[in-house]
Amino acid sequence: MPPSAHDKLLFTPGPLTTSLSVKQAMLHDAGSWHFEFNHIVAEIRRRLLALAGTSRDQGFECVLMQGSGSFGVESVLGSVIPPNGRVLILANGAYGERIVRMAEVLKISHLAYRTAEDTPTNPSAVERILAQDPAVTHVAAVHCETTTGILNPIQPIGQVTRQHQRRFIVDAMSSFGALPIELESSGIDYLVSSANKCIEGVPGFSFALARRDPFLATAGWARSLSLDLLGQWQGFEKTGQFRYTPPTHALLAFHQALDEWEAEGGVTGRGARYQQNHATLMHGMCSLGFQPFLPAHVQSPIITAFRHPADPAFRFDEFYRRLSDRGMIIYPGKLTQIDTFRIGTIGRLFPADLEQLLAAIRLSLNEMGCALPFNSTPQPHAIPG
Ligand SMILES: Cc1ncc(COP(=O)(O)O)c(C=O)c1O
């Protein structure tokens, strides 16, 4: 496949459509021990802290970890909870459930607090649980639950977590870089995200931002060698290098992606473009009669889940194929109870790309014999909490 601007557009939650210049940054072979490459690694670590509005001087550390976002989350979970610790996991979608599964596999004592997939976690409920369960040492939450695009209120959750003197882990995979996150006022001790989301790099590594004091007190707790977060940090401190082979090309691409993120105006600029993409999408989809799964006030501009329309002529597989034939990739749903599909509005996409997608959606539905606009009377749904 040629590395061109003619690749299909990815309306997905990542890997994403990236800029040509990010792809071109990978056309180099970098020596993983070489000082020039290690300088880039150090720069990335420093700039990720700056992106989060902090620095080493302000008591945070940045650790890069090979592997996709799940590796980063598992690295934090498996490294910073003491052997006798217990984690409260707040779940309202597949990624919260993945943290539960990690805790099971790692044999970490845990408690899941679930809300329905269209309902954000209530900080008062977290407060009640923390008051009732003194064994809980850590709370883990997902900021933007990419299953639906729902936003969880991490700031008030973090505040009650801090009031109860527990540590707070946030999976900010699909929000970091585009939605404002304040580490300090949100009481975040560990934040995890990855290269191929809102910073618009390519897959290959994840990263954790860690509050130094509690982090340095985690020695000996890691349940894995290669995912040992403190071990990885110590490696960087000692040699400036990754302990094991780094994804060199992905790091070169990310360095370029950070430049482009800054040039766009950082969180404000990138977030504004994603908001415009999302507004364009919602306007077009609603006029076609599609129903978003979430109420607007909890919906992020990152990804949106739409219900399958009731029209018998609509079949998702055919819809997907027709859009793909037109050069556009959307995403299947991930909800357990209801048929949905998802459209991502992140990556190197602009409102004009969303307009193009909407035109392709209309054409594809016409070809399938759907009667447009769909009847958009909201259908009741019952999702167990
Ligand atoms: C919120 C969230 N957490 C975790 C993950 C897992 O990341 P990965 O698929 O890169 O392992 C994702 C992926 O989309 C995500 O959106």
Side-chain angles (χ1 to χ4, degrees):
M1 226 171 22
S4 73
H6 304 300
D7 291 338
K8 292 184 181 186
L9 293 176
L10 303 177
F11 297 90
T12 64
L16 306 164
T17 292
T18 53
S19 69
L20 193 56
S21 34
V22 163
K23 288 187 266 282
Q24 280 167 340
M26 290 187 285
L27 298 176
H28 298 281
D29 300 312
S32 66
W33 288 54
H34 188 58
F35 62 86
E36 284 165 341
F37 178 72
N38 292 333
H39 175 74
I40 288 176
V41 170
E43 263 292 293
I44 289 174
R45 292 176 64 210
R46 184 190 62 74
R47 287 170 76 178
L48 282 173
L49 289 173
L51 191 161
T54 191
S55 64
R56 298 188 78 175
D57 290 345
Q58 292 172 72
F60 275 84
E61 295 291 338
C62 174
V63 189
L64 310 179
M65 185 58 75
Q66 296 95 329
S68 78
S70 304
F71 290 64
V73 175
E74 190 157 356
S75 166
V76 169
L77 205 73
S79 302
V80 308
I81 299 173
N84 59 350
R86 178 167 163 82
V87 58
L88 166 63
I89 301 162
L90 311 175
N92 49 5
Y95 296 106
E97 292 302 332
R98 189 171 296 176
I99 301 179
V100 174
R101 187 73 194 112
M102 286 172 186
E104 284 167 4
V105 170
L106 293 167
K107 300 190 170 43
I108 294 173
S109 167
H110 61 281
L111 169 69
Y113 174 67
R114 295 184 169 89
T115 46
E117 285 164 319
D118 60 355
T119 308
T121 304
N122 181 347
S124 315
V126 177
E127 169 135 55
R128 255 194 324 275
I129 296 168
L130 293 180
Q132 283 163 7
D133 192 339
V136 169
T137 52
H138 291 69
V139 175
V142 180
H143 184 204
C144 173
E145 177 47 86
T146 323
T147 313
T148 55
I150 196 170
L151 274 178
N152 284 307
I154 51 168
Q155 192 171 46
I157 295 170
Q159 285 165 354
V160 303
T161 302
R162 177 183 277 170
Q163 278 154 20
H164 285 264
Q165 296 174 6
R166 320 294 171 85
R167 297 291 172 197
F168 191 31
I169 299 168
V170 175
D171 170 349
M173 207 67 68
S174 61
S175 54
F176 186 73
L179 301 181
I181 300 175
E182 285 186 23
L183 294 176
E184 210 42 69
S185 67
S186 307
I188 298 173
D189 297 297
Y190 302 95
L191 176 145
V192 187
S193 188
S194 76
N196 58 288
K197 299 287 189 197
C198 298
I199 302 166
E200 300 184 0
V202 305
F205 68 97
S206 52
F207 50 87
L209 308 185
R211 193 181 293 276
R212 186 186 305 114
D213 288 348
F215 178 44
L216 295 192
T218 63
W221 296 351
R223 293 155 180 85
S224 156
L225 174 67
S226 48
L227 294 180
D228 177 349
L229 195 71
L230 188 65
Q232 183 89 338
W233 177 81
Q234 285 165 338
F236 284 126
E237 289 307 292
K238 226 158 108 187
T239 63
Q241 296 163 12
F242 278 79
R243 287 178 303 162
Y244 312 129
T245 301
T248 45
H249 297 80
L251 287 152
L252 296 177
F254 194 72
H255 194 237
Q256 172 66 24
L258 278 171
D259 284 348
E260 295 178 17
W261 175 88
E262 263 172 34
E264 192 171 7
V267 172
T268 311
R270 183 133 309 170
R273 174 162 59 86
Y274 291 172
Q275 284 286 359
Q276 287 164 10
N277 288 349
H278 181 250
T280 307
L281 175 74
M282 293 309 275
H283 181 261
M285 290 298 274
C286 291
S287 51
L288 289 168
F290 280 102
Q291 293 168 26
F293 171 72
L294 290 176
H297 68 281
V298 297
Q299 171 71 62
S300 69
I302 305 295
I303 188 165
T304 308
F306 295 94
R307 294 155 185 274
H308 286 193
D311 189 325
F314 180 86
R315 286 181 313 281
F316 178 73
D317 289 354
E318 186 183 346
F319 180 54
Y320 179 93
R321 164 62 63 157
R322 286 180 183 276
L323 292 176
S324 165
D325 289 347
R326 294 189 154 92
M328 285 162 242
I329 304 289
I330 61 167
Y331 220 52
K334 217 177 168 76
L335 289 170
T336 38
Q337 313 282 320
I338 294 178
D339 283 335
T340 54
F341 63 89
R342 292 177 292 168
I343 298 182
T345 33
I346 61 178
R348 202 72 194 151
L349 299 173
F350 296 84
D353 297 309
L354 273 301
E355 295 288 7
Q356 203 187 326
L357 173 69
L358 289 161
I361 288 177
R362 181 181 285 279
L363 271 174
S364 301
L365 293 172
N366 279 333
E367 285 167 0
M368 290 165 66
C370 293
L372 296 176
F374 295 119
N375 174 7
S376 60
T377 316
Q379 294 161 9
H381 62 266
I383 302 176

